[in-house]
Amino acid sequence: MKIEIWSDIACPWCYIGKRRFEDALDGFAHKDVVDVEWRSFQLDPSLPDHFDGTETEYLSQMKVMPAAQVRQMFDHVTQQAAGVGLNYDFDSIVVANSFTAHRFLHFAKTHGLMSEAKEALLSGHFEKGRDIGDIEYLAEVGQEIGLDPDEVRRVLATDEFTDEVQSDISEARSLGANGVPFFVIDRKYGISGAQPAEVFTQALETAWDEGQKLTVLAGTPQSAGSDSTEEFADGAVCGPDGCN
């Protein structure tokens, strides 16, 4: 089973959704054969490399909302984050464009370390007040997860992995995703938003059960007596009583 997850590092619900999904996956009987792939998405591509102000000021300006209302929204999200063991600190968030960080994730992917990089950047952004737009910070994260920091700096000083990030974003839109997190299971099932773990559990079980069923492309299935194997009535078949 393959699960693709589109998300943005600067999306608070994406981190919460990640934890809820991981809780569901941890209890899934077939988790060892599940392949999780992180895909890039940007909620606000127009954001400058860095915004000279707080997260409250940024959202207040962008959404034309009173600062007090933004703070109420942050309090709600912080409570939801705490429910899955995350310690959000909106007062310390550095508002920065996430595109360079997404390129870093794709570089980490070439070394099989995208999941580790994703977790580190989300925690750094929402819990530790680190600057996800700063190449030196990304090099630091790279070193922590086993990448060569000098190679990280070299890659991010160029436009490498730009096409990969843009391709992810385009593909999300082609699938109808206008927001994140967005989960796609085997390209058959889509789950939008940071749903409760129970929803992810149900989706995993449904997708697994459906994936084990045979889809008949020709003929009509009919029972083969006590044998559980199905045969096709409309074509030439062989059964317990011979062939026809």
Side-chain angles (χ1 to χ4, degrees), residues 170-219:
S170 296
E171 194 166 3
R173 289 171 178 158
S174 72
L175 292 172
N178 295 313
V180 285
F182 187 66
F183 303 76
V184 177
I185 305 176
D186 284 339
R187 288 297 173 106
K188 291 176 63 178
Y189 303 93
I191 305 170
S192 180
Q195 301 289 342
E198 294 78 10
V199 173
F200 289 118
T201 296
Q202 182 179 7
L204 289 169
E205 292 174 352
T206 298
W208 179 265
D209 290 343
E210 289 296 320
Q212 306 311 302
K213 294 180 181 178
L214 181 67
T215 299
V216 179
L217 299 179

Side-chain angles (χ1 to χ4, degrees), residues 118-174:
K118 184 76 173 183
E119 175 66 27
L121 293 187
L122 285 167
S123 178
H125 184 65
F126 287 107
E127 298 182 303
K128 302 172 185 175
R130 303 303 301 269
D131 185 353
I132 61 172
D134 179 32
I135 291 179
E136 284 305 312
Y137 168 60
L138 297 175
E140 176 187 324
V141 170
Q143 186 171 29
E144 289 173 356
I145 65 174
L147 296 173
D148 181 345
D150 289 333
E151 183 68 4
V152 172
R153 294 185 186 96
R154 185 198 67 76
V155 168
L156 298 183
T158 70
D159 62 355
E160 287 186 55
F161 299 103
T162 292
D163 290 344
E164 287 82 349
V165 176
Q166 291 176 338
S167 177
D168 275 0
I169 294 171
S170 296
E171 194 166 3
R173 289 171 178 158
S174 72

